[in-house]
Amino acid sequence: MVKKIVKIFSLAVLFVVVPVIFGSANAASLKFDKTTVSTTNGGTFQIAVTVDPGSDALSSVDAYVTYDASYLKVNSVASGTLFPTVSNDISTSGKVYIAGMVNDPTTSISTSGTVGTITFQALKDGSTSLTFDCSSSKIIKNDVNASDVMTCSQNNSSAVTIGGG
């Protein structure tokens, strides 16, 4: 009986106390640099797409930002400074794609930073939001499996108010 109690206590320490003391691994996520934006009808604003690698070393990021095309249009995307190679595609209405990648597979990115900055133009008064399409976006770990390490629940969004909202 004493052995069972000691075993249960040991398991409790292992699964409850140890993670609290040492913390869990940080999850990789995509973020906007602003969680709220206010602009005028016809006005423009910039919002940066950033990546937090958590505890991982990354080789690339594929970020798909979704927006309501009746309220906003994308004017341009500027490359961020985190990855040496950045590309984008703004041809799809309601979605903009930004990719960042390392040039040499033996290198990786282990710090948070900007993948790209999107310039939006407001088309009409109202409220809308910018979000990451989690089914398409990926944060790729620099490992042999090119593992997607993004934790969607850690991504943020940005609320946009145009005119009076």
Side-chain angles (χ1 to χ4, degrees):
M1 181 68 167
V2 172
K3 286 184 179 181
K4 282 186 178 182
I5 292 173
V6 169
K7 190 179 263 186
I8 291 170
F9 180 75
S10 299
L11 288 173
V13 168
L14 180 66
F15 291 109
V16 176
V17 176
V18 171
V20 170
I21 292 172
F22 294 105
S24 58
N26 291 333
S29 59
L30 294 169
K31 306 280 185 195
F32 295 109
D33 68 332
K34 301 176 192 101
T35 55
T36 60
V37 176
S38 294
T39 189
T40 59
N41 188 352
T44 61
F45 65 92
Q46 292 183 328
I47 193 157
V49 173
T50 65
V51 63
D52 179 352
S55 57
D56 292 308
L58 308 180
S59 62
S60 67
V61 169
D62 293 303
Y64 288 85
V65 176
T66 59
Y67 61 95
D68 187 333
S70 67
Y71 286 96
L72 301 170
K73 81 170 187 175
V74 175
N75 285 346
S76 64
V77 176
S79 297
T81 58
L82 186 62
F83 286 95
T85 299
V86 179
S87 63
N88 68 79
D89 183 1
I90 60 174
S91 63
T92 305
S93 181
K95 191 178 278 191
V96 59
Y97 170 70
I98 305 172
M101 62 208 83
V102 296
N103 293 335
D104 178 356
T106 63
T107 63
S108 61
I109 303 296
S110 298
T111 59
S112 297
T114 301
V115 180
T117 301
I118 308 168
T119 300
F120 284 98
Q121 182 174 9
L123 301 176
K124 68 179 183 179
D125 287 353
S127 296
T128 188
S129 62
L130 304 174
T131 59
F132 293 102
D133 179 354
C134 206
S135 63
S136 302
S137 298
K138 295 182 181 352
I139 300 175
I140 303 300
K141 183 176 180 175
N142 190 6
D143 65 5
V144 295
N145 298 318
S147 305
D148 182 2
V149 293
M150 182 170 63
T151 302
C152 293
S153 63
Q154 298 298 312
N155 295 348
N156 74 356
S157 61
S158 184
V160 180
T161 303
I162 304 164

